[in-house]
Amino acid sequence: MHPPIRSLVVGFLVLLALFRMLERLRPKTQRLRILRRGFATDLGYWFFTPVATRTVTALATFLVVIPVLWAMYGKVDRNLILHGYGPASRLPMWVQGIAIVAIVEVIGYWMHRAFHRVPWLWRFHAVHHSSVDLDWLSATRVHPGNDVVMKLATTVPVLVLGFAPAAVAGIMPLLTLLAVGVHAHVDWDWGPLRAAIASPRFHRWHHSDEAAARDRNFAGLLPVMDILFGTYHMPKDARPASFGADTPIPEGLLRQLAFPFRRAR
Ligand SMILES: [Zn+2]
């Protein structure tokens, strides 16, 4: 097997075992089957997203960033991109790390709202919201168009401002695990930190198809964004019970990739 494919297979099996164990904390009647609705589609995304989507997104990012660096420095090399440049790159790494997370969160919050508000953007993002049996694997169901636009909007400003991506490299695996984990089929929040860090309960409300939860909880990592901008939804005694987009989305990876380009009925 091709090495990245092998690590994706191993990663899938490890996370499947981990999240199945966590799901067993739920009463038996509330657990999802492994082969829950949309499983085959999401398994397709598990391989497609890191291999195809991330390649397209990385290429698009470099196509935008390289001309800017070239204009500013007359050269572009790996070192310049990894370690930043100018005043921002001379800040201590931990300050840069905080700045990068803050920039990505603020832009990411408003971009996510735009994906819900602007009809043609919604057709790309609705694919992510189409899971009716929501669990950790649903995290990979992201249309490449959604990924490219979101990553360009958040990554390009960080790079153009001269911050060193290396400042967040150490926490990237943790952030990726959290991004997967907030979709998990569990009811958790982080207790007293529930308003500080996104939790499964917080993000699963975002996927709920209930009217009260519509267009709520947009933040990727810091729910304080939703508190600040008036979209925070964490009722004390309720839990999200049903999920999905109000736009009918076809099942299957290829049909979903084509969906945003088909004429809206
Ligand atoms: Zn959304």
Side-chain angles (χ1 to χ4, degrees):
M1 259 190 282
H2 197 255
I5 301 294
R6 193 186 310 151
S7 49
L8 285 172
V9 171
V10 173
F12 173 77
L13 294 174
V14 168
L15 290 181
L16 180 69
L18 173 74
F19 284 108
R20 290 306 292 182
M21 256 160 39
L22 295 181
E23 205 177 319
R24 291 186 75 83
L25 298 172
R26 275 179 178 271
K28 212 168 184 176
T29 50
Q30 289 180 14
R31 292 178 207 158
L32 289 174
R33 295 172 294 133
I34 290 185
L35 300 179
R36 44 65 164 173
R37 287 174 289 178
F39 176 83
T41 300
D42 289 339
L43 189 60
Y45 278 103
W46 176 262
F47 294 96
F48 183 85
T49 298
V51 176
T53 301
R54 291 289 139 80
T55 306
V56 173
T57 302
L59 268 173
T61 306
F62 285 121
L63 280 178
V64 177
V65 168
I66 285 174
V68 177
L69 293 187
W70 204 277
M72 292 171 78
Y73 293 92
K75 65 163 187 174
V76 180
D77 56 42
R78 213 178 109 81
N79 198 45
L80 196 61
I81 292 177
L82 260 183
H83 299 291
Y85 47 88
S89 70
R90 289 190 284 276
L91 293 167
M93 281 305 237
W94 66 271
V95 176
Q96 290 192 59
I98 291 172
I100 292 173
V101 168
I103 292 169
V104 168
E105 276 299 293
V106 172
I107 299 176
Y109 172 88
W110 286 103
M111 282 305 297
H112 194 173
R113 269 181 86 148
F115 267 104
H116 279 246
R117 189 62 56 84
V118 181
W120 71 269
L121 284 175
W122 169 249
R123 290 179 68 77
F124 287 94
H125 189 58
V127 169
H128 179 61
H129 277 269
S130 64
S131 296
V132 283
D133 283 343
L134 189 72
D135 69 6
W136 67 278
L137 191 54
S138 313
T140 59
R141 185 183 292 210
V142 178
H143 194 284
N146 188 153
D147 197 64
V148 169
V149 173
M150 191 58 135
K151 294 281 165 54
L152 279 181
T154 51
T155 312
V156 169
V158 167
L159 293 175
V160 167
L161 286 169
F163 287 107
V168 285
I171 57 167
M172 276 320 279
L174 203 63
L175 294 180
T176 306
L177 185 64
L178 185 72
V180 171
V182 293
H183 295 86
H185 186 56
V186 293
D187 267 341
W188 296 353
D189 57 34
W190 308 121
L193 293 177
R194 66 174 64 84
I197 301 167
S199 61
R201 186 150 81 85
F202 171 81
H203 191 66
R204 287 169 68 82
W205 272 121
H206 178 69
H207 280 265
S208 163
D209 61 359
E210 291 163 48
R214 185 150 300 169
D215 297 339
R216 294 284 178 267
N217 298 6
F218 290 107
L221 174 66
L222 307 173
V224 68
M225 295 293 152
D226 288 284
I227 296 172
L228 274 175
F229 301 122
T231 48
Y232 187 63
H233 183 74
M234 280 285 262
K236 219 173 185 169
D237 304 317
R239 297 290 184 273
S242 60
F243 307 92
D246 50 6
T247 309
I249 309 286
E251 201 50 64
L253 174 62
L254 294 178
R255 259 173 275 169
Q256 293 191 354
L257 292 177
F259 172 77
F261 305 104
R262 289 172 34 204
R263 208 178 315 177
R265 298 229 177 102

